[in-house]
Amino acid sequence: MQISSAYIHIPFCQQICHYCDFVKFFYDERAADQYLEALQKEMAGYVPDEKQVMKTIYVGGGTPTVLTAEQLERLLKMIDDHFDIEACEEYTFEANPGDLDQKKADLLSYYGVNRISLGVQTFDNQLLEELGRVHKEEDVYINIERLRRAGITNISIDLMYGLPNQSVELFEESVDKALELNLPHYSSYSLQIEPKTVFHQRYKKGELSKPPEEEEVEMYHLLQRKLKDQGIYHYEISNFSTPGYESKHNLTYWDNAYYYGIGAGAHGYLPGKRTINIRPLPAYLEKVGKDGRPVLHEDPVEKKEMMEEEMFLGLRKMEGVSITRFREKYGENMNEVFDGAVEQLKEKELLEEVGEYVRLTEKGKLFGNDVFASFLIDE
């Protein structure tokens, strides 16, 4: 299977959000220059000669748009030097509302970026402040207008639910404001309190609490209902789009396909192995300077792991996992491989079989982790 996707990580942020556990550092212009130089070397290690044809490229963070316009153009040129942008079906940049002036929006468009993922999270200014976000509601509208003026209309926004001090009514207000923007794609995630975050420290001290679980479930169902009413269909546990605007890059992950992971802390999936890059910025820079390969771990992926991951990842999609594709890919019968787990989960009404697909039921979507655990193959 050809490697036709690339994830590129830019770890800098203007401010560290209180919930974020991604690889990130406070933006420093000199450090960003050094990082871009190292990124160029790592990229050249994967694609040393001719430009490689990519189906999808995703530049995430951190906050890629926190770079200066000059640094942003340097990054865009670098990507263009190594990958065939004209042949790329989907080229996404993450952006934070407030970071994106018109010059940066125009640069992204000029260099072939055709999709933007905006980290909105909520339209409530008080909640934004409590999350440690630096933008305000107004910035969302300004940024979207700038992107559209630059010719980029394939825009996705993220919304979070289950936030401290967030009621169902407050979440509904954010959903309604998001839908008024008439965008082709929406992502929505429940807040997870991750270790080594500001929220985790507060949670341990008893200074932070999330809404009750039943309210989180109500928020999720409200989200599903409102987007469906607007003709925006639910194609993955946390993602919704109008037909044809599904995230092709994220489908690479859910289809268990190969991709490069480039940058500090980036994860990649190459034939026979998953890679994890060094996270600390000084160590990443030093390792790239030595040999251009900042890989911390290479974990072999055998057939057993591939089949498990096919189920974990594929069941996130609303269409589920193709029984036929599974058999063609691995030469095995799905139910036999997992010792009858499919039939057992169907009896519990957590899975259902629709045509040639096995997928989560509405009940199963609420107990996804329990379902996924059923597809661990005993040694």
Side-chain angles (χ1 to χ4, degrees):
M1 190 188 300
Q2 183 184 359
I3 302 169
S4 58
S5 291
Y7 173 78
I8 301 167
H9 191 71
I10 306 299
F12 299 103
C13 291
Q14 183 180 346
Q15 182 167 312
I16 307 301
C17 298
H18 296 166
Y19 56 86
C20 181
D21 72 333
F22 295 141
V23 180
K24 73 280 182 189
F25 309 96
F26 284 110
Y27 174 77
D28 174 84
E29 187 170 351
R30 181 171 174 272
D33 281 335
Q34 293 174 328
Y35 184 78
L36 291 175
E37 184 177 340
L39 202 65
Q40 164 78 29
K41 292 178 181 176
E42 185 187 1
M43 219 174 283
Y46 285 116
V47 189
D49 301 315
E50 293 182 9
K51 290 185 179 185
Q52 184 166 336
V53 174
M54 288 280 109
K55 181 180 178 181
T56 70
I57 298 171
Y58 192 104
V59 184
T63 313
T65 51
V66 78
L67 299 173
T68 65
E70 292 73 22
Q71 290 171 331
L72 181 61
E73 185 165 23
R74 180 180 172 189
L75 172 63
L76 289 161
K77 285 180 177 178
M78 179 194 314
I79 295 170
D80 185 64
D81 285 343
H82 292 92
F83 301 111
D84 187 343
I85 300 304
E86 289 187 9
C88 187
E89 295 179 22
E90 182 186 272
Y91 185 5
T92 303
F93 256 70
E94 287 184 354
N96 273 350
D99 287 335
L100 206 55
D101 59 28
Q102 193 62 53
K103 183 176 182 180
K104 291 180 183 179
D106 290 341
L107 274 173
L108 292 169
S109 179
Y110 179 79
Y111 282 94
V113 175
N114 57 21
R115 185 175 183 271
I116 295 293
S117 178
L118 272 182
V120 173
Q121 314 314 351
T122 175
F123 284 81
D124 184 278
N125 284 336
Q126 181 61 39
L127 287 178
L128 285 169
E129 186 176 335
E130 291 172 9
L131 289 172
R133 305 290 290 175
V134 294
H135 76 270
K136 302 293 184 186
E137 177 187 352
E138 183 184 10
D139 294 317
V140 178
Y141 308 122
I142 293 170
N143 276 230
I144 288 176
E145 177 56 34
R146 286 172 179 162
L147 289 166
R148 286 171 169 164
R149 199 179 300 139
I152 301 175
T153 57
N154 188 357
I155 301 168
S156 174
I157 63 173
D158 291 347
L159 294 175
M160 296 182 73
Y161 61 94
L163 301 175
N165 303 316
Q166 183 185 45
S167 63
V168 174
E169 291 73 24
L170 279 177
F171 180 63
E172 184 172 14
E173 286 178 18
S174 279
V175 173
D176 288 341
K177 288 178 178 180
L179 288 172
E180 287 172 6
L181 294 168
N182 195 28
L183 300 175
H185 192 281
Y186 298 88
S187 299
S188 191
Y189 306 93
S190 169
L191 172 68
Q192 303 299 311
I193 299 175
E194 304 287 358
K196 299 180 182 179
T197 62
V198 172
F199 272 0
H200 187 255
Q201 296 302 317
R202 292 180 183 172
Y203 183 75
K204 286 198 301 183
K205 295 176 183 176
E207 298 171 355
L208 184 85
S209 61
K210 294 183 63 180
E213 185 176 329
E214 58 269 22
E215 288 190 15
E216 282 198 38
V217 172
E218 189 177 347
M219 291 179 196
Y220 184 62
H221 286 158
L222 178 149
L223 176 78
Q224 290 176 302
R225 184 176 68 253
K226 281 186 169 283
L227 269 65
K228 183 179 180 181
D229 289 346
Q230 293 294 317
I232 301 167
Y233 85 103
H234 194 183
Y235 73 96
E236 191 271 344
I237 286 178
S238 302
N239 288 271
F240 307 76
S241 80
T242 53
Y245 285 90
E246 304 85 351
S247 170
K248 293 179 181 178
H249 183 82
N250 285 340
L251 282 167
T252 298
Y253 304 147
W254 303 321
D255 287 338
N256 205 21
Y258 299 132
Y259 58 92
Y260 296 120
I262 301 169
H267 291 226
Y269 183 29
L270 308 178
K273 61 186 177 183
R274 289 195 179 271
T275 62
I276 304 174
N277 275 359
I278 294 167
R279 291 171 62 102
L281 189 56
Y284 171 83
L285 296 175
E286 181 182 358
K287 188 69 166 63
V288 173
K290 285 181 178 177
D291 59 17
R293 296 301 304 272
V295 175
L296 178 64
H297 292 299
E298 283 192 357
D299 297 323
V301 180
E302 305 295 341
K303 182 180 176 181
K304 167 184 173 293
E305 287 81 17
M306 291 177 70
M307 291 190 293
E308 291 174 342
E309 290 168 358
E310 192 82 13
M311 302 304 294
F312 301 161
L313 298 167
L315 284 173
R316 292 188 60 88
K317 298 180 295 180
M318 294 303 101
E319 72 173 10
V321 180
S322 165
I323 298 168
T324 303
R325 183 171 180 266
F326 187 96
R327 185 170 56 247
E328 290 173 350
K329 193 171 179 180
Y330 302 109
E332 307 248 14
N333 178 284
M334 183 189 294
N335 205 41
E336 290 176 3
V337 166
F338 298 107
D339 197 23
V342 173
E343 293 302 322
Q344 292 166 21
L345 291 165
K346 282 164 63 177
E347 289 175 10
K348 295 178 182 177
E349 299 182 345
L350 297 173
L351 283 185
E352 60 185 357
E353 199 170 315
V354 180
E356 65 155 300
Y357 287 88
V358 171
R359 69 184 189 186
L360 293 173
T361 61
E362 287 302 312
K363 179 181 175 183
K365 292 170 190 173
L366 299 175
F367 300 96
N369 288 338
D370 294 331
V371 174
F372 302 155
S374 300
F375 293 103
L376 289 170
I377 302 170
D378 292 334
E379 295 292 351

